[in-house]
Amino acid sequence: MIQTRLSPRLLIGLVPAFVAGSAMGQQFVQQTASLFAGLPSEYTNQATVVDIDGDGDLDIVLANGQGYSSQGAALKPRILVNKINEVEARFVDETDARAAGVLGWFRGVEAGDCDGDGDWDLVLAQDFNKQPKLLINDGTGVFTDETGSRLPAVTMSSARAQFADVDNDGDLDLFFCNSGTSNRFGSGQPRLFLNDGTGNYTNVTATNIPAGNISDQQDCIFGDVDGDLDLDIHIGSRAGQSKLWLNDGNGVFTNSPFPTGGSSYSYDFGDIDGDGDLDMLSINGGTDRLLQNNMPGAWVNISSEISPNAGIDDNDSKFFDYDNDGDLDYVVASLGSSERVFRNNGPDAPGAQFTQVTGIMPNVGDSSLDIVVADFDGDNRIDVVTLQGESGSFVNKIYMNTTGPEDTIAPTIVLFEQLPDTALPDGPLGPFAVRLVAYDSYSSDRGFYAGPGELHWSLNGGPEQTSELKWHGNSMWRGVIDEVDGPGTVTYYATIADRAGNVATTETLSFDIDGGVQNPCDFDNNGTVDGADLGFLLAEWGQKGSIADLNGDGTVDGADLGLLLACWG
């Protein structure tokens, strides 16, 4: 695997940083009464932000379900459709029309195009040893529960589920927290389901992830932590058993050293120091932990860089550049206290890197279990929503960014895949998959909510062609160079935009296609299919995207061996 790492963005010609504080008035104004008017007050555990109906604005889907450690009432997963800029001028609850009959004890919800038809489907993680649910989008934001036909019949006590393409075959797989057979505070083995390309899943837990139970799993999140262009996974444990598992590129995971100790309700990935890798913030209902990524060296606990770091019952966080100065600040959701914003002063700042900023959000004490950040009204400013459960009145709240600076900074492209030169016969060749890692001015479990992204390519300087970059997993996108009529040189680059219209462009890369090999089984191009070619095929056994995949079924296996032996000599 070859890749190119690009330098972090240059902060040149930006508008002056907006320095928020009590003297300048509130930047985030609560508009719950108007924008959430008429919405039911229910036990909400978590939410995701996604354009479910393809109209260009961001909707909100709520994971609702009663009960803390004992099962309460089943609830609907609320679908709140964004109509802020329409006649209704608010979010409208359209659950009954868009997800009729769906009930459960939902702790987590996430979006991903699991069947490859271009719209966002939903996965719902359930607690109390229930089967998770998979809801399929018809393209207009109306969902059908197709759990029974698409997911393995496996029950779990699950606090969270995530989509990601773990084996780079172009479809989205599924990972679940699983704390056993009682509730999410028990102990169990997480689950990994692989997608067959059509949105039907197979349980590969026994073969693809480390064996053994993890206690009190509250969160899981994908991210490329080691810069090898595959998606690793972190599992957050409230019992101090959090794990970091590295992906071998084929969707098989192994345990990696990670700072132990400390319970956690959630982890959030973000590049806090601008060095191009993903650091982590742990929210744990006490002293929050900041962990700096130094891979391949050890992760470093730099929690002393948070001031103050009081023992407050925090439950979630999100990174966001609220002052548009090019680095990631963050906001914390608390249960029984008010939300808090921390400004990033830079890794070389005197004193703590992150210091609390007061006066820019209302001081509201409530029961926030989750927090999301996104631009909901299209003014290019990041807004904040908190989700309420466990205690209090369960009134979810929205804080609109009314006076902050607009987002003027393009996404940061940190990795763009360099494809190797390829020796194949004359004629149509490909397809070739290309991956890209990019960060922007805020975080979610999917990375940032990107605008248009395209892969551009041409053969031998000919006409340029394009294909869509599709979301591949947290902060990663994947494009495909379609069949090219080689041989020759393929040049390619990519562009990706944020929702504010800021566009980032990669450098232009290239790879050569050598058309001189007449026999596809003659991998070393020596004119004979022999032991060297057999050795190459065996070394590539089980690999995806290899030239040894002679029959093009996606994997080097026995069928390819049979084809090679038929060409022997």
Side-chain angles (χ1 to χ4, degrees):
M1 187 67 61
I2 307 171
Q3 61 270 344
T4 297
R5 182 178 292 278
L6 306 182
S7 59
R9 61 192 170 199
L10 300 177
L11 303 179
I12 298 174
L14 302 184
V15 296
F18 181 84
V19 181
S22 57
M24 302 188 71
Q26 284 186 358
Q27 180 173 337
F28 298 91
V29 176
Q30 185 178 174
Q31 297 185 11
T32 303
S34 58
L35 297 185
F36 282 178
L39 300 183
S41 298
E42 296 174 315
Y43 194 131
T44 299
N45 293 287
Q46 190 250 337
T48 194
V49 174
V50 60
D51 181 7
I52 63 164
D53 49 6
D55 64 352
D57 55 30
L58 292 172
D59 312 299
I60 303 173
V61 183
L62 306 181
N64 291 342
Q66 284 281 3
Y68 178 70
S69 57
S70 300
Q71 182 174 314
L75 297 176
K76 301 174 183 179
R78 293 287 171 185
I79 297 178
L80 311 182
V81 178
N82 187 342
K83 299 188 178 182
I84 292 176
N85 294 318
E86 301 177 32
V87 174
E88 295 88 342
R90 61 186 176 90
F91 283 90
V92 177
D93 178 16
E94 297 188 359
T95 305
D96 291 341
R98 295 182 180 273
V102 179
L103 288 170
W105 295 266
F106 304 121
R107 299 295 185 189
V109 58
E110 196 47 82
D113 181 9
C114 75
D115 53 2
D117 63 353
D119 54 40
W120 294 94
D121 310 302
L122 298 171
V123 64
L124 290 156
Q126 289 210 74
D127 201 352
F128 307 116
N129 201 32
K130 309 294 183 185
Q131 187 179 16
K133 289 188 178 294
L134 188 61
L135 308 185
I136 303 300
N137 192 335
D138 71 351
T140 68
V142 176
F143 296 88
T144 302
D145 182 357
E146 298 187 12
T147 303
S149 61
R150 292 182 180 270
L151 291 186
V154 176
T155 59
M156 309 178 215
S157 297
S158 183
R160 201 71 84 239
Q162 299 290 353
F163 285 106
D165 181 2
V166 301
D167 49 4
N168 193 31
D169 62 354
D171 54 43
L172 293 176
D173 310 301
L174 276 168
F175 188 91
F176 297 88
C177 290
N178 172 38
S179 293
T181 60
S182 179
N183 58 48
R184 69 192 188 283
F185 302 118
S187 180
Q189 186 170 27
R191 308 284 189 185
L192 177 63
F193 296 168
L194 288 189
N195 191 333
D196 70 352
T198 65
N200 296 297
Y201 288 86
T202 300
N203 185 359
V204 295
T205 300
T207 57
N208 286 46
I209 65 175
N213 291 350
I214 301 173
S215 295
D216 212 339
Q217 299 163 44
Q218 299 298 309
D219 192 26
C220 58
I221 186 169
F222 281 102
D224 179 14
V225 300
D226 51 1
D228 62 355
L229 281 169
D230 57 41
L231 288 158
D232 312 300
I233 185 75
H234 185 273
I235 305 102
S237 163
R238 203 184 65 151
Q241 297 180 16
S242 296
K243 304 290 184 183
L244 177 64
W245 292 345
L246 299 184
N247 190 340
D248 71 351
N250 299 304
V252 177
F253 294 83
T254 55
N255 193 51
S256 178
F258 193 77
T260 57
S263 65
S264 180
Y265 289 108
S266 81
Y267 277 84
D268 194 24
F269 276 131
D271 181 11
I272 64 170
D273 47 13
D275 63 354
D277 57 30
L278 290 171
D279 310 298
M280 297 195 81
L281 177 63
S282 166
I283 300 300
N284 64 0
T287 301
D288 298 332
R289 296 200 306 160
L290 193 62
L291 303 172
Q292 187 177 54
N293 185 350
N294 293 309
M295 294 190 73
W299 290 71
V300 178
N301 187 339
I302 57 169
S303 302
S304 60
E305 295 294 331
I306 303 173
S307 178
N309 198 350
I312 298 174
D313 192 0
D314 296 334
N315 277 260
D316 193 31
S317 67
K318 290 294 181 294
F319 288 105
F320 71 149
D321 184 8
Y322 79 89
D323 50 6
N324 195 48
D325 66 351
D327 56 29
L328 288 177
D329 317 297
Y330 69 89
V331 59
V332 177
S334 296
L335 192 153
S337 181
S338 60
E339 277 58 69
R340 307 189 311 285
V341 175
F342 287 81
R343 186 180 191 275
N344 189 338
N345 304 307
D348 300 321
Q353 180 173 348
F354 289 90
T355 52
Q356 185 176 352
V357 180
T358 60
I360 64 171
M361 285 190 72
N363 186 14
V364 177
D366 52 20
S367 300
S368 298
L369 297 182
D370 193 54
I371 192 165
V372 294
V373 296
D375 176 14
F376 292 110
D377 56 357
D379 66 353
N380 301 331
R381 298 179 175 93
I382 302 300
D383 311 305
V384 178
V385 171
T386 63
L387 295 315
Q388 311 294 314
E390 193 171 318
S391 62
S393 58
F394 301 157
V395 177
N396 298 324
K397 298 179 175 64
I398 185 166
Y399 302 90
M400 301 303 290
N401 188 343
T402 58
T403 60
E406 294 187 25
D407 179 7
T408 61
I409 304 175
T412 303
I413 299 171
V414 294
L415 285 174
F416 185 48
E417 187 166 17
Q418 170 69 64
L419 296 180
D421 294 339
T422 303
L424 286 174
D426 292 343
L429 307 171
F432 303 95
V434 182
R435 291 165 290 184
L436 174 151
V437 176
Y439 311 147
D440 199 44
S441 58
Y442 57 92
S443 66
S444 79
D445 287 354
R446 298 203 306 275
F448 69 99
Y449 310 123
E454 289 185 328
L455 180 64
H456 305 250
W457 76 91
S458 63
L459 176 67
N460 296 327
E464 184 174 279
Q465 302 181 67
T466 62
S467 63
E468 180 187 2
L469 288 178
K470 296 184 178 181
W471 182 72
H472 189 68
N474 188 359
S475 301
M476 190 177 295
W477 286 261
R478 183 182 191 266
V480 175
I481 297 174
D482 295 328
E483 288 188 349
V484 295
D485 193 11
T489 298
V490 177
T491 57
Y492 61 100
Y493 68 97
T495 58
I496 190 166
D498 61 22
R499 292 182 63 84
N502 304 302
V503 181
T505 303
T506 70
E507 64 179 341
T508 299
L509 303 178
S510 67
F511 67 99
D512 292 328
I513 299 173
D514 179 2
V517 179
Q518 299 304 310
N519 189 331
C521 302
D522 183 12
F523 302 123
D524 59 2
N525 196 21
N526 70 351
T528 304
V529 179
D530 53 20
D533 304 301
L534 175 61
F536 177 81
L537 185 144
L538 295 176
E540 296 287 289
W541 198 268
Q543 300 298 310
K544 299 178 183 295
S546 170
I547 62 172
D549 178 19
L550 296 172
N551 67 353
D553 67 354
T555 305
V556 180
D557 54 19
D560 304 302
L561 176 59
L563 290 173
L564 183 139
L565 295 177
C567 297
W568 195 265

